[in-house]
Amino acid sequence: MDEKYFPEQIESKWQQRWNDDGVFHAKSDDPREKFYCLEMLPYPSGFLHMGHVRNYAIGDALSWFKRLQGFNVLHPIGWDSFGQPAEQAAIKRGINPRDWTENNIVHMRGQMKRLGISYDWSREIAAHRPDYYHWDQWFFLKMLDRGLAYKKVSQVNWCPKEETVLSNEQSSGGICWRCSTPVEKRDLEQWFLRITDYAEQLVAGIKQIEDGWPEKVLKRQSDWVGRSEGAYIDFTVKDSKQKIRVFTTRIDTIYGATAIVMSPDHPLLNELLEGSALKPDIEAFAQKVRTQKAAGREVGEEEKEGVNTGVLAINPFSGETLPVWVANYVLMEYGTGAIMSVPAHDERDMEFAQKYSLPIRQVIAPVTHEQIAAEPSPTTGGDASAEIKQAFTDYGILINSGDWGAKLSEVAIPEMSAFAKEHRFGEPAVTYRIRDWGISRQRFWGAPVPVVYCDKDGMVPVPYDQLPVVLPQSASFTGTGESPLAGVPEFVNTECPKCHGPARRDTDTMDTFVDSSWYFFRYLDPGNEAAPFDPNIAKRWTPVDQYIGGDSHAVMHLIYTRFWTKFMRDIGLVDFDEPVKRLLTQGMVTNRVEGTDEWKAMSKSLGNGVDPDEMIKAFGADATRLFVLFAAPVENELRWSETGIEGAVRFLRRVYTMIWRWQERLSNPIQAGAMEFSPDARTLRRKTHQTIAKITSDFEQLHLNTSVAALMELFNQIVDLNADPAQASNEDVFAIREALESLVIMLTPFAPHIAEEMWEALGHAGGLLSETPRWPVADPELARREELEIPIQVNGKLRSRVIAAPDVSEEDLRASALADERVQALIDGHEVVKVIVVPRRLVNVVIR
RNA sequence: GCGAAAGUGGCGGAAUUGGCAGACGCGCCAGACUUAGGAUCUGGUACCGAAAGGUGUGGGGGUUCGAGUCCCCCCUUUCGCACCA
């Protein structure tokens, strides 16, 4: 041990020691209470960036905290190693994706180890290895067995830059999640997973996790699923048996419907227009809309456009005849692809009606609480003949609505739905916005879809005992949007499992989000060759106690993994609905983009990246991690600046130097006996216990920045004591040892290497981790303030203070406030109206 | 356009949830030690004022003995959704 602080020596020493002793090995048969701490597994791009460092530093701090508290902590890591960048490297530079990926993993694993993150490396997994994607394929077949995987031709999202299909979640907002390129639409035959079958559960399950997940993420998920309650209503086409079914959430406005509007893609359209002179015009219009849509969504709202079909339909409630239009603002993907247009009570319908001079009829009137109380009459609340220019979209009271007049919307909606059902022209209905998950990718670097096609037997799943379907060594990487696997005859040509005749393999691979939907279950049992994992072992560790990652995955990974868990529950692998109890979405680490005022996430292409290795080299892993955690609350954006990190080094060095200074004195035992603490020593002891209490509770809420601040405060208090090791009394030594040992233990989650080093210097052999919990427990007596400095206000303004014992009575406090000289001077000549005494807080004298 | 969240020193950010605003750190200023200082240590650092004192948490109003915190209006920023019937 050296008196000077050389981080690289200390860090490599302890990394070696931890590794040799296997201290981060989690054992499934350990009887202590478990804690599963998980960070989102990285894509092996080649280099860690500071965002990773922040992610792992947070998870590591929590893992250490729980370990020191005596929990059996599982803290694993792995690689989300299938995906685009590997293939791009192959296309651009001719490198084999497998070699590229493996090399990157080697480098990044080294970086993680140099950071000293306390992972259980024996559980490391990688998605691109056959022993992992074997189980992706297994899950796919299970879904196929249950009808949850299916193939269909549909309009899919296509990223023109990456030349691949994207799921709806990956193209949210109309742009590619990875490269932000606007997506186009293409008709392709694709594999889908029926996530829509779980739509209801994905909404309902939110209740189970609402205490542990950020509200923001749950709101996005709930919006994404887009549950909507309403009704289907059938409008019979005049002079025909055809019915046009619409979905509405506002059946109470149906008497205000002045048109039916259909999507240009509506399948019924062709039939309805049979023999109509308008057919060519309408088809031309539909084609125009399709072209606009395929080009990708424009920024800003498109003008509403439509054409009258000449067809008429009958409103089943009123018997009224309505024109049927086709318009670009009605989406085939939502509801039934047709709507009833109620201009008076829907903004979009209003805009459309105004443009094409459709009638606007008010059927809902605003209603006040007084009116509700006063038993409203059919005419209450407004003049129906008045011209309306703005849609009134709130609930209100029905007018001009036949038998339903005078009812409140809330009452009319369920009654009218039931009426429609009774008379067989409609029914209550729930619709969802979420669409099935398209998982086919025309890519090489992914898990092959385990299905073959036989001329005789058609589509045949690969039998479970023939898994995994292994990716070939290589392929021709052209980046043309064709599956590279299609160009590998050894792969494509196979034997039909049923008839043993010649057959062709499916040449698409699965979305990499399949891999990440269940990876944290594989950590529990990574070597299992018979199943993805043993349910009994999983029971021991799951659900995940704390998950940490960026919120960019709020409606991608995080919704897929919830879906996957519910599926695993249905096939008996797990016995719960929600995989993650608590979720932390950490803020991004940003850096100024060279030559601009913009702060953006660090990336190679922007040239604003910071290399963690350089930080480690210059300041040490401990200081780098400490700084990242101290610089901002974990959920905030962290704007990188190198000036602050020196403060972290300075702090660590000062603590280290102090330990060194006291080492000798502290390692000699002091005689037990009655202790008489000096006022300064008492102050230090109180500070120590207050700090323990604060940090312990801060950790529960992951307020890591304030924990570090509290450690610094405690250290400053020790410095203020300014004791000389050679002269210090036994009591001082006791107080200082208590403070320093607590400080070292509580510093461990932030700077584990130097903490271990200092713990050893304090005379403890065997390292900080032990069977008995080391985390200090605050003495409530000492953590409480010994005396209070209570502010005295006059008319709400601070005028003086009084020192009092914590248990001072209200009367005494009032008396001492009124006796205060300053206060008396201010009272002089005024009337004391009242004196407010807040126990332990303050006194406010109100004068006039 | 709709929705949500947030506006506190030069900067990152604290504030036991209605009770001493600015903890902790960065930066800056002064001093000490030094051949030297981009090292270290000590002190200072919201604003106005020589001081006493006054003013201060985006702006305006309100509730309260007391408001960074609660309520209303406005402004700004960030994020999410963008025809979801």
Side-chain angles (χ1 to χ4, degrees):
Chain A
M1 148 143 215
D2 202 305
E3 192 175 347
K4 288 246 172 65
Y5 176 38
F6 296 117
E8 63 280 13
Q9 283 176 13
I10 293 174
E11 288 169 10
S12 60
K13 167 183 165 185
W14 285 97
Q15 284 163 18
Q16 189 66 47
R17 178 102 58 105
W18 292 331
N19 186 55
D20 293 347
D21 297 350
V23 290
F24 305 132
H25 245 80
K27 294 185 192 71
S28 295
D29 57 2
D30 189 317
R32 295 175 301 167
E33 192 181 341
K34 68 96 182 178
F35 190 86
Y36 189 174
C37 181
L38 180 70
E39 293 114 50
M40 287 186 186
L41 89 176
Y43 179 79
S45 60
F47 304 90
L48 289 186
H49 51 72
M50 293 312 292
H52 290 121
V53 173
R54 191 180 198 191
N55 192 183
Y56 310 146
I58 295 165
D60 208 41
L62 185 62
S63 297
W64 269 102
F65 171 67
K66 288 289 177 181
R67 279 189 202 107
L68 291 166
Q69 279 196 324
F71 284 81
N72 178 29
V73 172
L74 174 60
H75 190 213
I77 194 70
W79 308 98
D80 186 16
S81 44
F82 267 144
Q84 278 281 53
E87 198 150 340
Q88 293 299 337
I91 294 164
K92 284 196 195 127
R93 293 181 278 150
I95 307 164
N96 186 293
R98 190 172 285 105
D99 299 339
W100 186 84
T101 302
E102 291 288 354
N103 286 338
N104 287 349
I105 289 176
V106 168
H107 183 244
M108 289 172 79
R109 188 192 293 124
Q111 289 187 298
M112 287 177 174
K113 291 196 167 177
R114 284 191 287 284
L115 267 173
I117 309 291
S118 64
Y119 289 129
D120 180 349
W121 287 101
S122 70
R123 295 170 183 269
E124 183 183 356
I125 57 171
H128 74 285
R129 305 211 176 116
D131 66 343
Y132 185 88
Y133 67 73
H134 179 155
W135 305 107
D136 290 331
Q137 295 172 339
W138 184 90
F139 276 117
F140 177 88
L141 292 178
K142 286 283 174 194
M143 291 204 184
L144 195 59
D145 288 348
R146 301 204 155 212
L148 287 170
Y150 67 97
K151 204 173 187 186
K152 76 164 183 199
V153 179
S154 81
Q155 233 190 25
V156 295
N157 309 293
W158 180 267
C159 173
K161 189 170 167 204
E162 297 189 350
E163 296 275 355
T164 190
V165 170
L166 299 170
S167 69
N168 294 314
E169 289 75 16
Q170 289 157 350
S171 51
S172 169
I175 54 169
C176 171
W177 70 286
R178 211 184 288 105
C179 66
S180 299
T181 309
V183 297
E184 298 168 0
K185 296 281 180 188
R186 281 205 182 178
D187 288 311
L188 283 175
E189 190 174 31
Q190 294 279 295
W191 282 102
F192 287 88
L193 302 183
R194 278 189 215 281
I195 194 170
T196 51
D197 277 14
Y198 290 82
E200 186 63 45
Q201 292 183 45
L202 287 169
V203 178
I206 287 176
K207 270 218 163 59
Q208 290 180 38
I209 49 177
E210 64 189 354
D211 294 332
W213 283 44
E215 219 177 310
K216 218 171 115 186
V217 172
L218 292 177
K219 168 131 196 344
R220 281 182 65 186
Q221 291 215 354
S222 155
D223 287 352
W224 187 260
V225 176
R227 185 182 194 277
S228 178
E229 272 183 53
Y232 291 131
I233 304 292
D234 296 322
F235 287 70
T236 307
V237 177
K238 201 179 175 204
D239 305 323
S240 155
K241 282 200 179 123
Q242 278 298 350
K243 286 175 175 159
I244 302 171
R245 173 160 273 212
V246 306
F247 176 73
T248 179
T249 54
R250 293 298 302 274
I251 193 172
D252 56 318
T253 66
I254 196 163
Y255 282 81
T258 55
I260 295 297
V261 186
M262 297 171 77
S263 163
D265 296 319
H266 201 288
L268 205 59
L269 210 48
N270 232 337
E271 206 177 316
L272 291 177
L273 292 169
E274 206 55 63
S276 163
L278 292 167
K279 193 171 178 182
D281 292 352
I282 291 162
E283 274 173 1
F285 172 74
Q287 196 49 49
K288 187 179 131 200
V289 173
R290 256 174 243 134
T291 317
Q292 281 171 352
K293 288 222 166 128
R297 237 172 249 134
E298 296 294 311
V299 187
E301 222 169 290
E302 267 175 56
E303 172 104 12
K304 289 184 178 45
E305 278 187 89
V307 284
N308 193 337
T309 63
V311 177
L312 297 172
I314 296 158
N315 182 336
F317 272 88
S318 65
E320 188 183 10
T321 303
L322 307 174
V324 177
W325 286 63
V326 171
N328 62 348
Y329 78 99
V330 178
L331 308 172
M332 197 56 226
E333 304 86 72
Y334 184 76
T336 61
I339 60 156
M340 61 179 201
S341 177
V342 186
H345 305 293
D346 183 283
E347 279 161 21
R348 296 152 297 173
D349 294 341
M350 173 61 89
E351 194 188 325
F352 189 69
Q354 283 174 339
K355 177 162 174 182
Y356 291 102
S357 304
L358 296 171
I360 297 164
R361 187 189 315 134
Q362 187 188 4
V363 292
I364 304 287
V367 66
T368 60
H369 291 289
E370 294 74 40
Q371 286 171 314
I372 294 172
E375 292 274 324
S377 72
T379 52
T380 314
D383 177 2
S385 62
E387 198 192 343
I388 315 164
K389 293 220 172 64
Q390 261 202 319
F392 174 72
T393 57
D394 291 344
Y395 279 1
I397 183 162
L398 276 69
I399 54 172
N400 300 322
S401 295
D403 295 345
W404 310 93
K407 285 187 190 285
L408 293 170
S409 296
E410 291 88 334
V411 176
I413 289 172
E415 286 186 11
M416 291 172 89
S417 305
F419 181 84
K421 186 170 183 182
E422 205 178 306
H423 292 80
R424 293 163 178 266
F425 57 79
E427 60 187 317
V430 176
T431 59
Y432 301 91
R433 187 189 100 117
I434 192 170
R435 298 280 80 113
D436 279 340
W437 176 12
I439 57 156
S440 298
R441 296 292 178 271
Q442 295 67 48
R443 285 289 150 188
F444 171 80
W445 197 230
V449 175
V451 151
V452 304
Y453 303 94
C454 167
D455 287 337
K456 201 164 131 245
D457 297 305
M459 193 272 284
V460 182
V462 173
Y464 287 95
D465 59 11
Q466 288 177 30
L467 295 182
V469 175
V470 180
L471 268 183
Q473 264 309 305
S474 191
S476 153
F477 304 105
T478 54
T480 58
E482 297 295 320
S483 287
L485 288 174
V488 186
E490 315 85 271
F491 177 82
V492 176
N493 298 318
T494 184
E495 182 181 277
C496 171
K498 257 191 196 159
C499 69
H500 302 285
R504 285 158 286 110
R505 288 194 190 280
D506 197 302
T507 55
D508 282 351
T509 53
M510 293 187 237
D511 185 359
T512 59
F513 281 83
V514 168
D515 314 330
S516 54
S517 290
W518 65 280
Y519 73 99
F520 49 93
F521 289 88
R522 187 68 182 171
Y523 287 140
L524 313 177
D525 192 12
N528 198 322
E529 290 178 8
F533 55 88
D534 178 342
N536 289 317
I537 297 177
K539 230 182 193 138
R540 170 76 182 104
W541 290 109
T542 50
V544 171
D545 293 283
Q546 178 74 58
Y547 198 16
I548 304 155
D551 72 352
S552 56
H553 285 292
V555 289
M556 296 194 286
H557 164 59
L558 290 169
I559 209 158
Y560 295 143
T561 195
R562 292 183 59 222
F563 156 59
W564 212 272
T565 301
K566 291 169 200 303
F567 174 68
M568 291 194 289
R569 176 205 60 202
D570 288 349
I571 59 172
L573 279 174
V574 302
D575 58 4
F576 48 83
D577 303 326
E578 293 294 338
V580 172
K581 280 199 236 168
R582 295 226 306 168
L583 172 72
L584 171 74
T585 49
Q586 111 234 12
M588 282 199 299
V589 181
T590 59
N591 205 354
R592 200 185 286 276
V593 180
E594 195 97 21
T596 72
D597 245 4
E598 277 183 292
W599 293 80
K600 289 207 170 138
M602 294 183 179
S603 90
K604 240 194 200 162
S605 56
L606 289 170
N608 65 341
V610 172
D611 181 3
D613 276 330
E614 280 176 28
M615 294 296 120
I616 295 171
K617 222 166 139 194
F619 308 106
D622 282 332
T624 304
R625 294 170 51 170
L626 181 74
F627 171 66
V628 161
L629 296 177
F630 175 58
V634 287
E635 66 277 2
N636 283 24
E637 175 185 335
L638 169 53
R639 296 188 164 189
W640 185 257
S641 104
E642 233 146 86
T643 49
I645 195 168
E646 283 168 23
V649 180
R650 207 170 295 153
F651 171 66
L652 292 178
R653 188 164 47 218
R654 272 155 48 93
V655 179
Y656 186 77
T657 309
M658 173 171 292
I659 296 274
W660 185 256
R661 207 159 68 87
W662 281 89
Q663 185 197 25
E664 206 178 328
R665 183 70 204 267
L666 291 182
S667 42
N668 293 330
I670 25 171
Q671 314 305 328
M675 299 228 216
E676 283 290 333
F677 289 101
S678 67
D680 281 352
R682 291 171 69 93
T683 306
L684 177 60
R685 290 205 69 200
R686 268 184 273 119
K687 187 72 181 176
T688 300
H689 286 267
Q690 283 160 12
T691 304
I692 294 167
K694 169 161 179 61
I695 293 180
T696 306
S697 85
D698 271 359
F699 252 105
E700 296 304 334
Q701 298 152 78
L702 291 171
H703 291 168
L704 303 184
N705 59 324
T706 51
S707 291
V708 177
L711 286 175
M712 290 172 169
E713 279 189 65
L714 175 58
F715 177 75
N716 291 343
Q717 190 78 59
I718 305 172
V719 171
D720 282 352
L721 191 60
N722 197 24
D724 176 354
Q727 311 281 314
S729 67
N730 276 355
E731 284 84 355
D732 285 356
V733 172
F734 181 93
I736 284 173
R737 170 148 61 202
E738 182 180 49
L740 280 176
E741 289 194 344
S742 303
L743 178 63
V744 166
I745 294 168
M746 293 191 292
L747 182 63
T748 315
F750 305 98
H753 311 86
I754 191 174
E756 287 269 26
E757 184 73 8
M758 294 191 295
W759 185 250
E760 197 176 65
L762 287 170
H764 303 283
L768 269 156
L769 287 176
S770 74
E771 286 298 310
T772 47
R774 293 242 196 258
W775 193 263
V777 176
D779 177 336
E781 274 305 303
L782 285 164
R784 231 175 106 225
R785 296 188 162 215
E786 188 181 51
E787 57 189 22
L788 303 167
E789 198 184 37
I790 293 181
I792 302 172
Q793 301 176 344
V794 176
N795 285 355
K797 277 201 197 314
L798 176 68
R799 295 300 179 182
S800 185
R801 296 168 203 282
V802 62
I803 307 282
D807 56 355
V808 64
S809 71
E810 278 190 44
E811 292 72 36
D812 287 353
L813 208 50
R814 177 196 309 260
S816 39
L818 291 172
D820 186 275
E821 266 179 42
R822 275 296 297 285
V823 177
Q824 286 202 331
L826 283 156
I827 290 173
D828 189 35
H830 295 271
E831 178 199 348
V832 175
V833 181
K834 56 177 156 177
V835 180
I836 289 135
V837 181
V838 184
R840 299 175 58 83
R841 277 290 157 73
L842 60 49
V843 183
N844 187 9
V845 181
V846 185
I847 61 175
R848 188 160 46 203

